[in-house]
Amino acid sequence: MRILISCVLLVILSLGLVFALEQAPFGSNQIDNADKPGRFYLNQGMEKTGAANVVTSVVVTYRGFDTLGEVTILFIAAIGLGAVFHSRKKVKRYEKEKQSASLILQTGCRFLFPLIVLFGTYVFIHGHLSPGGGFQGGVIIASAFLLLFLGCEEKKIPMKSMNTVESLAGIIFVGIGLAGLYWGESFLENFLPRGMDYMLLSGGVIPIIYIAIGFKVGAELAGIVAGLIERNP
Amino acid sequence: MHIAGMIAIGIGVLFLFLGSFGIVRLPDVYNRLQAGTKCTTFGCLFAVLGVGIVEPAWFWKALLVSLFVLLTNPISNHALGRAAKKSGVPLWDGSVVDKSRDFPSYANTEKL
């Protein structure tokens, strides 16, 4: 009986999915189907900002102020976590139960760590050309540091310099915004030359901002992971 | 070329489906890890390589992605299984072999 009911439910669900997805225009030109603001960004975004990735042109230029807010939220979250974890004395009683990682994990960590960092760097440097960007690349770099925490415990990560990198990246972001206010007309305005479209050096300040965001997010999330592991509850 | 790529993607999807089925149906952590790793590694490999065959311009990227899946997936599975064994997760009652008893570093994890 239960099997019958579940089969009927599955059939209903799959029919619903089929009918819902039938309406979606897969593979067709999305510009014609977009509504008016969407069409504006798809048509004009590339010309105005020089970023081949429309999502990036929206995230970094059209609503760059909002992105600054997002980065600030992450920063405040990291600070809050640090405040919670540093308010007590370092707990030592879990030290003796800790066991070192196996040979497979250590070797894999040593081999994969530079490659993952390279991939994360690629993702945020090409944020204005291909899918991806500062947040995604930063998270990939933070996952590399998580692997380092798991696999190579003898390698100490210098948290002081991580914090310095994070603060510097935030200062660069705000500084570029203020420079846009000084040389241009508004906060975060593109004051650098556009460069050639579809090349790595294009889009003016967009790649610089995304590189700063990538460093900031990566350092912040790695710091959060380090704080959680240090507590080791 | 297109048909060959589609067949490869189909094989990959079939294995991914079998892996998810195994995660639901198998009895304990270790068996589920097996389903969740072997099937997803093989399925991802075929799906990604199939995409590379359908779109020849993406072939080398697809090859790189599949290499990384081949490297990372077994390592994560190994780490998960080892952590489960070390923290004393019991084997299924019907298990017939437990090779970890031969190794002294796993000796004191039985009674937890």
Side-chain angles (χ1 to χ4, degrees):
Chain A
M1 195 59 200
R2 270 181 63 194
I3 294 176
L4 192 71
I5 291 174
S6 54
C7 280
V8 169
L9 277 178
L10 202 65
V11 168
I12 291 173
L13 195 70
S14 47
L15 277 180
L17 265 179
V18 165
F19 283 123
L21 290 180
E22 207 184 34
Q23 309 291 326
F26 287 119
S28 61
N29 192 352
Q30 298 292 322
I31 294 177
D32 300 331
N33 295 316
D35 50 356
K36 206 174 168 195
R39 213 177 301 152
F40 172 78
Y41 289 125
L42 287 172
N43 286 327
Q44 315 266 315
M46 174 82 200
E47 293 170 25
K48 288 210 170 165
T49 63
N53 184 359
V54 183
V55 177
T56 300
S57 73
V58 171
V59 167
V60 179
T61 55
Y62 288 114
R63 38 148 273 195
F65 209 64
D66 190 59
T67 306
L68 184 61
E70 280 172 13
V71 172
T72 315
I73 287 171
L74 198 61
F75 180 60
I76 292 170
I79 285 182
L81 213 69
V84 169
F85 288 141
H86 281 278
S87 60
R88 296 183 199 164
K89 280 180 277 181
K90 286 265 163 69
V91 188
K92 283 281 178 193
R93 72 198 132 115
Y94 297 103
E95 281 294 316
K96 63 175 189 288
E97 288 178 20
K98 211 158 126 188
Q99 291 167 339
S100 65
S102 65
L103 183 66
I104 296 174
L105 191 57
Q106 282 179 8
T107 314
C109 153
R110 233 175 269 141
F111 179 69
L112 285 171
F113 175 74
L115 292 176
I116 296 175
V117 170
L118 182 70
F119 176 56
T121 316
Y122 169 82
V123 166
F124 70 67
I125 285 182
H126 289 76
H128 58 301
L129 299 175
S130 57
F135 289 96
Q136 292 86 338
V139 170
I140 291 169
I141 287 179
S143 77
F145 278 100
L146 174 58
L147 184 63
L148 204 63
F149 282 123
L150 287 178
C152 312
E153 282 142 10
E154 74 273 14
K155 288 214 172 58
K156 286 276 173 261
I157 289 107
M159 290 326 289
K160 277 266 165 57
S161 52
M162 289 284 246
N163 290 339
T164 316
V165 165
E166 184 197 334
S167 312
L168 269 181
I171 289 170
I172 287 172
F173 192 172
V174 177
I176 286 172
L178 290 177
L181 200 60
Y182 183 73
W183 280 296
E185 286 162 2
S186 62
F187 191 72
L188 280 174
E189 173 152 340
N190 198 347
F191 61 90
L192 289 175
R194 278 261 311 263
M196 217 178 356
D197 285 349
Y198 298 107
M199 300 303 283
L200 189 58
L201 291 175
S202 68
V205 297
I206 292 175
I208 303 172
I209 291 176
Y210 249 2
I211 288 169
I213 293 176
F215 271 105
K216 193 166 165 56
V217 171
E220 249 158 23
L221 289 180
I224 288 176
V225 168
L228 285 171
I229 286 177
E230 257 172 36
R231 283 287 295 166
N232 198 11
Chain B
M1 212 59 174
H2 187 81
I3 293 171
M6 283 299 173
I7 289 172
I9 293 175
I11 293 172
V13 169
L14 179 71
F15 270 86
L16 286 173
F17 171 73
L18 289 176
S20 61
F21 194 64
I23 287 175
V24 177
R25 290 289 294 168
L26 287 173
D28 70 345
V29 176
Y30 308 102
N31 285 317
R32 283 180 185 169
L33 271 179
Q34 169 148 327
T37 308
K38 279 186 185 166
C39 291
T40 51
T41 309
F42 195 76
C44 273
L45 216 66
F46 264 79
V48 172
L49 283 180
V51 169
I53 293 170
V54 170
E55 290 276 345
W58 299 350
F59 181 74
W60 294 107
K61 275 188 186 177
L63 200 67
L64 262 184
V65 169
S66 58
L67 260 181
F68 277 112
V69 169
L70 208 56
L71 271 174
T72 52
N73 226 345
I75 290 178
S76 68
N77 176 47
H78 160 78
L80 282 172
R82 188 170 179 268
K85 188 68 191 164
K86 289 252 175 186
S87 56
V89 177
L91 267 71
W92 179 44
D93 297 332
S95 302
V96 288
V97 63
D98 183 7
K99 282 281 173 67
S100 71
R101 283 182 194 177
D102 301 344
F103 295 94
S105 62
Y106 288 94
N108 54 356
T109 58
E110 291 281 320
K111 54 200 167 291
L112 279 168

